[in-house]
Amino acid sequence: YAKSEGRANFRFYSPELNAAALENIKLEQELRGAIGRNELLVFYQPKVDWDGRIVGAEALIRWRHTELGMISPAKFIPLAEQTSLIVEISDWVLEQTCLWVNACHAQGLGPLRISVNLSAVDFKHPELVEKIAAVLTKTGVDPKFIELELTESVAIGNIKACVERMHHLKALGLTLSMDDFGTGFSSLSYLKELPLDVLKIDQSFVRHLESDDSSAAIVRAILALADGLGMETIAEGVETAAQLELLKRHHCGLFQGYLFSRPVPTDEFLSLLQADALRRGAELPAISSS
Ligand code: C2E
Ligand code: MG
Ligand code: MG
Ligand code: MG
């Protein structure tokens, strides 16, 4: 490729780029063994309602590398997506999440709906629906507690096949959400064809909500759109009380972000749920005595 582009592209072979490419190849090889070595973990980030109560969570993968420490999914998910590794990883995250929802509910905590992220590669896997159905059966989880976060990229290409596939996932009883909404290129005309339950407002709009009028306009438009289409809404990346205030003013349904909690390991998530349950319990007598 570079050769056909002529000599101007000699920079493709600079030592820096070679080193980066080599590092990626090494990382990819290590990722292959990471599941077997128990180096991958699932963290959970709470999703909260208007009262700050935890009503769900998002499963976010972490890789605890023996020498390199924690590696961000932003770094290794794209690598995994270039190979079939992503499919193996996603299957594993989904199963862990189903087991985790069950474990929380078994302790009387919740109810919770927990989401997992699916890459476009996962979504297009020929056996996706059968595989997910098998995990639901194997874990015995009630599918209403599981949500799949898709991105606009799943709709690139064959839109009809995408819509059909989404209907099959809905038929399993799962909730479907559109992640990072507003950053892709989906046209509004086919948004109405997609059987989506939730629109997730991308954190890039939330981040500039206070400082930038156009971000605020986009957030208002997304919330109005979701309302008109009968979809739930959630804002990701909520970091400040002012952002929360503005999102509430525009009737956003749920919130997720560092203001409430970072993604945390299972034991910490359990503590957050227990604290939440205690707070709810403490509120009950006040309500019944009034
Ligand atoms: P995403 O699905 O859009 O997840 C949201 C990202 O924003 C997460 O980054 C989360 O930790 C981060 N975040 C949450 N609240 C805040 C906040 O208040 N401020 C800021 N600055 N960031 C916040 P993370 O965990 O690094 O994941 C990055 C991306 O990697 C995810 O974006 C998702 O696309 C992908 N990913 C993570 N886990 C999985 C997985 O299990 N499967 C797949 N296919 N993709 C995954
Ligand atoms: Mg997500
Ligand atoms: Mg997102
Ligand atoms: Mg994102």
Side-chain angles (χ1 to χ4, degrees):
Y1 172 72
K3 201 174 178 186
S4 70
E5 296 274 309
R7 258 202 280 178
N9 285 292
F10 67 90
R11 62 195 167 84
F12 279 175
Y13 305 107
S14 73
E16 293 80 14
L17 282 178
N18 258 334
L22 277 175
E23 196 207 325
N24 276 352
I25 290 167
K26 186 163 168 271
L27 214 54
E28 188 194 310
Q29 281 167 353
E30 288 177 333
L31 185 56
R32 282 180 196 282
I35 298 184
R37 290 192 302 269
N38 287 324
E39 288 175 8
L40 297 185
L41 343 157
V42 185
F43 276 25
Y44 295 92
Q45 186 179 33
K47 296 179 180 180
V48 306
D49 67 11
W50 276 49
D51 300 318
R53 291 169 173 173
I54 301 173
V55 294
E58 176 176 8
L60 292 159
I61 197 165
R62 296 290 179 265
W63 179 7
R64 189 183 283 147
H65 191 283
T66 39
E67 290 142 40
L68 303 174
M70 281 292 187
I71 303 177
S72 160
K75 188 159 186 186
F76 69 86
I77 291 288
L79 279 182
E81 284 171 340
Q82 289 167 18
T83 67
S84 56
L85 265 184
I86 187 66
V87 174
E88 200 183 320
I89 290 173
S90 300
D91 287 350
W92 180 78
V93 172
L94 178 66
E95 182 166 341
Q96 294 299 306
T97 301
C98 292
L99 294 171
W100 182 241
V101 173
N102 285 344
C104 293
H105 290 169
Q107 297 195 42
L109 299 165
L112 301 168
R113 189 171 78 202
I114 309 196
S115 60
V116 299
N117 292 282
L118 283 192
S119 296
V121 183
D122 295 312
F123 185 81
K124 286 168 183 167
H125 190 279
E127 267 123 58
L128 174 82
V129 180
E130 292 80 357
K131 279 194 305 165
I132 293 180
V135 174
L136 296 175
T137 306
K138 182 181 172 192
T139 59
V141 76
D142 185 335
K144 76 175 180 212
F145 299 127
I146 301 294
E147 175 177 325
L148 303 178
E149 295 194 9
L150 311 172
T151 56
E152 289 167 78
S153 59
V154 299
I156 294 172
N158 191 340
I159 181 76
K160 224 181 125 210
C162 166
V163 171
E164 200 172 306
R165 178 147 280 205
M166 285 175 71
H167 279 289
H168 285 141
L169 294 170
K170 286 290 302 162
L172 293 178
L174 299 161
T175 300
L176 300 183
S177 63
M178 187 58 90
D179 199 0
D180 304 336
F181 187 71
T183 61
F185 297 96
S186 46
S187 78
L188 298 179
S189 65
Y190 69 66
L191 185 65
K192 75 170 166 39
E193 309 294 334
L194 305 179
L196 285 166
D197 303 287
V198 187
L199 284 189
K200 198 163 184 186
I201 302 172
D202 190 66
Q203 52 184 283
S204 59
F205 304 122
V206 176
R207 188 170 307 133
H208 301 115
L209 206 48
E210 299 150 84
S211 54
D212 169 19
D213 288 344
S214 49
S215 286
I218 290 168
V219 167
R220 279 200 305 276
I222 293 173
L223 291 169
L225 183 67
D227 186 45
L229 294 171
M231 295 175 191
E232 294 174 35
T233 49
I234 179 164
E236 68 174 16
V238 183
E239 292 186 354
T240 69
Q243 288 165 353
L244 176 65
E245 180 60 37
L246 281 167
L247 287 161
K248 281 184 170 177
R249 196 180 300 162
H250 300 304
H251 311 290
C252 184
L254 297 175
F255 315 94
Q256 181 185 358
Y258 296 170
L259 178 63
F260 307 99
S261 170
R262 288 179 175 261
V264 292
T266 48
D267 55 341
E268 267 181 62
F269 184 70
L270 219 47
S271 305
L272 291 174
L273 283 180
Q274 279 155 349
D276 207 38
L278 276 178
R279 236 182 307 133
R280 292 189 204 201
E283 283 166 16
L284 284 177
I287 292 165
S288 58
S289 67
S290 68

